[in-house]
Amino acid sequence: NFTYCPETGLAKGNEHSAFAGWAFPFPGVFLKEEFISKDEESEIVELMDRDDWKPSQSGRKKQDYGPKVNFKKQRLKAGSFTGLPSFSKKIVAQMKACPVLGGFLPVEQCNLDYLPERGSAIDPHFDDWWLWGKRLVSLNLLSKTVLSMSCDSEDSIQLFPTFSKENGELSPPGSFTQTSAGKNSGKEGINCVLSPRLVPSKEVTVAIHLPQRSLVVLYGDARYKWKHAIYRKHIEHRRICVTFRELSAEFSAGGRHEKLGKELLEIALSFQGRP
């Protein structure tokens, strides 16, 4: 019932929903359109398709480049991991130009193949945070889609009005004064203060539109408070999602498993991997 606006960082109420005319700040999303060129996209997909795609859950297929992990028992080892694929070296280098990706060192890459004929989707979920770090990075290839965000929290979200009929302009966050015509007072342009509106977080869903060849980064609240999903109705053509993950603090400099983390990063960034 809300749509994320990359220009303003606001989640705006959809026109035909109960939240039309209302918005709230939605932090923790960075979206870069046309992150790679059409030629680069074609080359990457061609190289992927030379390797096998293994069946995954919910009608998806996948290729994994990463360490061997048992999330339930919290065990981790290199296993047969030989690094990220060679074609990702250029992608990772380009990421350094993104302001939110300073110091981002991917230790895992997961390619997911979505196809409408297979009913491909992924249910609302959080990515693990025992092993994976504070930023999730995904490159959206071959077709557009929608990342659907939802929240199970018991708290409320404060909305503010976005539209005044007089000038059609967006109100800034925290500004609730709106000029309106006074029906009974006989005066035009009386200021009436609209109170902020509180709604339960569970009633709110936010659509983040991902164009073809766009890069999206989830961090902060969008990473740790909001679940993300891709629904079947938003897979219209073949789509490949390339997700890169970094290590959590526990496996980084100063962490309990710093040594293992360093070893895995050296393997990952050799860019000699096979799925």
Side-chain angles (χ1 to χ4, degrees), residues 32-259:
K32 173 76 173 172
E33 295 190 22
E34 294 293 333
F35 183 74
I36 60 172
S37 68
K38 288 182 179 180
D39 288 345
E40 288 171 322
E41 177 186 46
S42 299
E43 184 184 352
I44 289 167
V45 174
E46 185 188 336
L47 289 168
M48 285 181 184
D49 285 341
R50 290 180 188 176
D51 286 310
D52 290 335
W53 289 90
K54 293 188 175 179
S56 183
Q57 298 169 315
S58 306
R60 291 168 290 142
K61 289 187 176 181
K62 70 176 179 178
Q63 294 174 340
D64 268 325
Y65 299 83
K68 189 174 177 63
V69 189
N70 185 322
F71 288 106
K72 285 185 179 178
K73 296 181 179 179
Q74 294 197 342
R75 288 181 185 166
L76 175 69
K77 61 181 180 180
S80 57
F81 182 37
T82 55
L84 304 188
S86 57
F87 64 78
S88 293
K89 191 170 186 176
K90 189 177 177 184
I91 299 172
V92 172
Q94 283 174 229
M95 287 180 190
K96 291 176 182 175
C98 299
V100 299
L101 289 178
F104 183 80
L105 297 171
V107 74
E108 193 237 25
Q109 176 179 330
C110 181
N111 305 334
L112 287 169
D113 183 309
Y114 290 73
L115 207 61
E117 292 84 350
R118 294 198 302 264
S120 303
I122 188 164
D123 291 335
H125 68 284
F126 293 112
D127 276 32
D128 173 83
W129 46 65
W130 160 68
L131 177 57
W132 308 133
K134 59 187 179 182
R135 293 164 292 190
L136 303 175
V137 183
S138 288
L139 183 59
N140 186 57
L141 303 179
L142 295 184
S143 62
K144 65 178 182 178
T145 193
V146 177
L147 194 60
S148 298
M149 312 294 288
S150 57
C151 187
D152 293 339
S153 168
E154 294 295 330
D155 60 9
S156 295
I157 293 171
Q158 181 173 295
L159 308 180
F160 67 87
T162 60
F163 199 75
S164 63
K165 291 177 183 175
E166 286 75 12
N167 54 26
E169 289 180 359
L170 195 73
S171 304
S175 171
F176 304 105
T177 303
Q178 184 172 312
T179 305
S180 63
K183 290 180 181 176
N184 302 323
S185 63
K187 295 178 182 178
E188 291 290 320
I190 291 175
N191 283 337
C192 70
V193 176
L194 291 180
S195 300
R197 177 181 171 188
L198 288 176
V199 294
S201 297
K202 290 180 179 179
E203 291 183 14
V204 172
T205 54
V206 179
I208 302 174
H209 288 264
L210 303 182
Q212 186 177 346
R213 294 185 298 282
S214 64
L215 185 87
V216 65
V217 183
L218 301 182
Y219 60 97
D221 281 0
R223 160 81 166 104
Y224 295 110
K225 183 178 176 181
W226 293 80
K227 292 181 177 180
H228 57 276
I230 300 278
Y231 295 120
R232 286 180 176 85
K233 63 183 179 181
H234 294 136
I235 299 296
E236 299 170 12
H237 307 283
R238 188 187 184 197
R239 173 205 179 226
I240 290 177
C241 170
V242 186
T243 295
F244 298 91
R245 297 181 176 96
E246 64 185 338
L247 289 167
S248 65
E250 192 170 329
F251 295 88
S252 302
R256 193 155 57 105
H257 299 300
E258 175 184 357
K259 187 181 176 186

